[in-house]
Amino acid sequence: MTAALGERPLLVFQHVACEHPGIFREFLAADGIGWQAVELDAGEPIPDLSGYSALWVMGGPMDTWQEAEHPWLADEKRAIREAVIDRGLPFFGLCLGHQLLADALGGEVAPGEPEVGVMTVSATPEARESPFLRGLPQTLTALQWHGAEVTRVPDSARVLMESPACAVQAMSVGDRAFSVQFHVELTPSTVSDWAEVPAYRRSLESTLGAGALGDLEQRLASHMEDFNAVSRRLYENWTAAVTGG
């Protein structure tokens, strides 16, 4: 049996230092849930999963298929499969973490139409029965920043959200694993921090044009209260779903 949230720390896989749990750090602290980050891109080893109550996997500038450039991706996928399938640990994935969940469990990820900026995602019919999206509207406004996408979900997955350019914007696997392609961890400094990553800056400017950073920061600031309200609801839904609350 897995440990209850808070009894053991929550394990977080990070792939670049600036892409951390963001606003969720406040929610975890308020609930007394400790967490430990493993910076995989910096060579930190994956610890024994038995010491943790859940696994979160964040975004990053690499792609799931780049194991030659980032050999630790293979170990990460094995750890995700162990966590979700073998141990039944609660799981939450964002952007690359969403794609890694699909890949690790037998789905497929491939280059897709880039989505960068403030866009909308919509719930699928299957979302009506999902505890992970309880209390949320049919359509959400969210930050997108990706050029790859899940093209085939694992056999055990349910697609919960979609957009015109990306058919798998959110999915669940069983009743303890949930992931989203879009970003919900936003803080006021998120966009400026991410723009310091060369790969992110290139995708931003190639999609939205030179000088797009300032406009995107303004749009994020104008929506931040709404974004964080969605983050809070998703966090509460995830916590209730994985604990049976």
Side-chain angles (χ1 to χ4, degrees):
M1 179 175 293
T2 58
L5 295 178
E7 290 183 5
R8 297 176 186 171
L10 183 153
L11 182 61
V12 178
F13 288 165
Q14 294 183 184
H15 312 99
V16 62
C18 65
E19 205 155 349
H20 46 66
I23 189 67
F24 291 106
R25 295 173 296 181
E26 297 180 16
F27 307 154
L28 292 167
D31 284 345
I33 300 174
W35 60 281
Q36 176 188 336
V38 175
E39 196 70 40
L40 296 172
D41 60 299
E44 294 184 3
I46 295 173
D48 183 345
L49 299 183
S50 65
Y52 301 90
S53 62
L55 176 62
W56 285 17
V57 181
M58 309 308 296
M62 60 288 301
D63 288 305
T64 60
W65 56 84
Q66 292 182 314
E67 293 183 12
E69 299 91 330
H70 309 286
W72 45 264
L73 280 167
D75 294 331
E76 181 177 18
K77 293 174 192 178
R78 283 192 289 270
I80 291 171
R81 182 172 181 82
E82 177 188 343
V84 175
I85 301 301
D86 300 337
R87 296 182 177 273
L89 286 178
F91 178 96
F92 183 37
L94 296 97
C95 199
L96 177 60
H98 166 74
Q99 297 166 10
L100 284 166
L101 176 64
D103 189 303
L105 301 190
E108 294 180 357
V109 178
E113 180 181 337
E115 288 185 305
V116 181
V118 178
M119 302 177 176
T120 58
V121 295
S122 300
T124 67
E126 285 195 278
R128 298 190 189 100
E129 305 300 323
S130 174
F132 294 111
L133 298 180
R134 184 174 294 128
L136 289 169
Q138 177 74 19
T139 300
L140 296 177
T141 301
L143 175 67
Q144 301 277 13
W145 207 324
H146 68 100
E149 63 178 293
V150 176
T151 54
R152 183 172 64 82
V153 298
D155 292 341
S156 53
R158 299 170 64 194
V159 178
L160 303 178
M161 303 202 82
E162 60 189 358
S163 72
C166 179
V168 188
Q169 286 285 353
M171 68 179 181
S172 61
V173 178
D175 57 5
R176 296 168 71 81
F178 174 66
S179 63
V180 295
Q181 179 61 70
F182 50 97
H183 291 281
V184 292
E185 72 274 36
L186 307 177
T187 71
S189 68
T190 294
V191 170
S192 57
D193 290 344
W194 291 359
E196 295 298 316
V197 179
Y200 288 165
R201 187 66 173 249
R202 287 193 298 271
S203 68
L204 172 66
E205 295 186 347
S206 65
T207 305
L208 299 181
L213 177 60
D215 290 341
L216 184 57
E217 287 179 316
Q218 290 182 2
R219 291 202 67 189
L220 263 291
S222 68
H223 287 283
M224 190 60 64
E225 185 175 347
D226 292 336
F227 286 152
N228 290 165
V230 169
S231 303
R232 163 65 75 176
R233 170 59 72 174
L234 285 172
Y235 170 79
E236 291 175 348
N237 286 350
W238 179 85
T239 302
V242 304
T243 59

